[in-house]
Amino acid sequence: MNTAKATFQVAADTLAPWRDDVLTGTPPILYPVGAGELSRLEVGPGLVSLFGGAPGAGKTAFTMQLAVDVLRMTPGLRALVCNVEMPPPILLDRQLARLSGVSLTAIRYRRLGAAEADRIDQGLHTLEAIADRLGFVRPPFTLANVAACADEFRAGLIVLDYIQRIAPPGEHGDKRGSVNATMDYLRQFADAGVAVIVVSAVGRTKDAKGRSSYAGDGLNLASFRESSELEFGCDDAFILHPADDDAEGDMMRLRHLKSRHGEQCDLWLTFNRSIQRFTPTAPPPAKSDRSPRRAASRANPSVPTSALRALWGRTEAASDDKGGDA
């Protein structure tokens, strides 16, 4: 005999308050993280946003851009960054490059002249305006220290870069168990009203030729390292990768792999690596559309292009075009 106590709720009991909330309630709080298409990203209290990508894809640059711009557009909000690979001065170098438009190389090697002075001053002024609301976790890079720092700093946003290197409390059998435990705790952070941005490493996958690679089209929810709880525990999951894996360009695709509360929507971005800036852009044309002649031939391979031209020449529209050009 089953002695477990049953706990459930009939829909009729919650229908009235739910209906009132739908019709007159307040929407969830979401922090603005950027202009244009970037404004579609949902970052806010109670949400865990997961970002992954291959080494060098720009994960740190992108998430730091989001964090700094959230502070710029949300007065009073405090953000805490735990980055296990880059100290605060390096992260600030990158943000100064982005905000000033002066190359990161010039800033890193302190090769700044009079020509850059005004832009550097503007970038510094922007960072100074948020400096007292931006905190950095110092070692040890443990989740216990992150929690203590977030509590003392009164952080409303926590950025973890990256999760596989931040140890949770307690003993765990392997790396997978450790990452799962970390995500469990981050879920509790979010449930307490904190916005959480998580950066994750990804594993290699097989490309179209069967080679082990970080090809973007092969990356998916299972690509997050020691995944399991990562994809289940987050509210939104993204993979950042070059738009065309065969080309070394600046166009990037932010693939939206999971959305717990809304619609999945990929974003296309231009990554200016010299100044570490991501800017929304229009998606590239589909490969089948890049050559109109080849596209027409594929649409009807039995009809040659010359025949299509001849057919067009006999239409009334073609006659109108000729008249208009005269």
Side-chain angles (χ1 to χ4, degrees):
M1 181 178 179
N2 186 0
T3 58
K5 184 178 179 180
T7 57
F8 64 93
Q9 185 176 30
V10 178
D13 295 337
T14 192
L15 190 63
W18 166 78
R19 180 190 58 213
D20 292 343
D21 185 61
V22 168
L23 298 177
T24 62
T26 57
I29 297 173
L30 297 174
Y31 300 138
V33 297
E37 289 293 288
L38 287 175
S39 64
R40 303 177 68 166
L41 297 180
E42 294 196 354
V43 173
L47 299 178
V48 178
S49 305
L50 177 66
F51 295 88
K59 303 182 296 297
T60 294
F62 183 69
T63 52
M64 277 301 298
Q65 176 173 324
L66 298 184
V68 168
D69 286 352
V70 162
L71 295 180
R72 294 172 65 193
M73 294 183 281
T74 312
L77 181 68
R78 291 170 172 264
L80 181 71
V81 175
C82 179
N83 187 301
V84 301
E85 294 187 328
M86 296 184 189
I90 300 300
L91 295 173
L92 291 175
D93 277 356
R94 289 172 162 224
Q95 288 307 301
L96 180 57
R98 177 177 76 90
L99 295 169
S100 67
V102 176
S103 76
L104 179 59
T105 299
I107 292 173
R108 170 172 167 72
Y109 294 105
R110 309 311 192 233
R111 298 171 182 164
L112 301 173
E116 295 87 14
D118 288 343
R119 288 183 291 163
I120 289 294
D121 283 345
Q122 284 186 330
L124 289 173
H125 178 73
T126 300
L127 288 173
E128 288 167 357
I130 64 166
D132 62 343
R133 296 185 289 119
L134 175 61
F136 297 97
V137 176
R138 300 176 65 183
F141 296 124
T142 64
L143 203 57
N145 188 33
V146 171
C149 292
D151 187 54
E152 184 171 338
F153 190 61
R154 305 191 311 279
L157 169 66
I158 299 175
V159 179
L160 301 178
D161 187 0
Y162 56 98
I163 189 171
Q164 285 82 4
R165 296 279 302 279
I166 300 171
E171 297 292 330
H172 304 279
D174 55 17
K175 193 66 175 179
R176 186 184 185 89
S178 175
V179 172
N180 288 349
T182 300
M183 180 54 88
D184 285 341
Y185 280 105
L186 295 182
R187 192 70 257 172
Q188 294 177 45
F189 290 1
D191 292 342
V194 176
V196 182
I197 292 177
V198 180
V199 178
S200 172
V202 298
R204 295 176 184 269
T205 59
K206 298 292 185 181
D207 64 13
K209 298 181 179 179
R211 300 170 299 190
S212 178
S213 74
Y214 288 112
D217 289 342
L219 298 174
N220 52 47
L221 280 175
S223 300
F224 294 105
R225 283 273 181 87
E226 287 84 34
S227 57
S228 186
E229 270 312 304
L230 287 182
E231 64 262 32
F232 294 122
C234 69
D235 293 284
D236 289 272
F238 302 88
I239 292 282
L240 182 66
H241 66 84
D244 188 339
D245 293 306
D246 295 327
E248 295 182 2
D250 293 329
M251 182 172 285
M252 307 291 290
R253 182 180 183 183
L254 186 67
R255 290 176 57 209
H256 198 178
L257 301 177
K258 175 188 176 181
S259 176
R260 177 169 283 150
H261 305 287
E263 178 186 1
Q264 292 173 225
C265 183
D266 292 359
L267 270 65
W268 299 91
L269 307 162
T270 298
F271 184 23
N272 187 331
R273 295 177 184 273
S274 68
I275 59 173
Q276 297 289 291
R277 181 189 295 165
F278 282 89
T279 307
T281 188
K287 289 184 179 180
S288 59
D289 297 334
R290 292 178 186 176
S291 172
R293 180 174 296 180
R294 285 200 299 270
S297 299
R298 278 193 295 271
N300 189 350
S302 63
V303 181
T305 305
S306 57
L308 291 175
R309 287 203 201 96
L311 201 60
W312 172 255
R314 293 196 295 271
T315 64
E316 292 183 5
S319 300
D320 292 340
D321 285 348
K322 292 176 183 177
D325 292 337

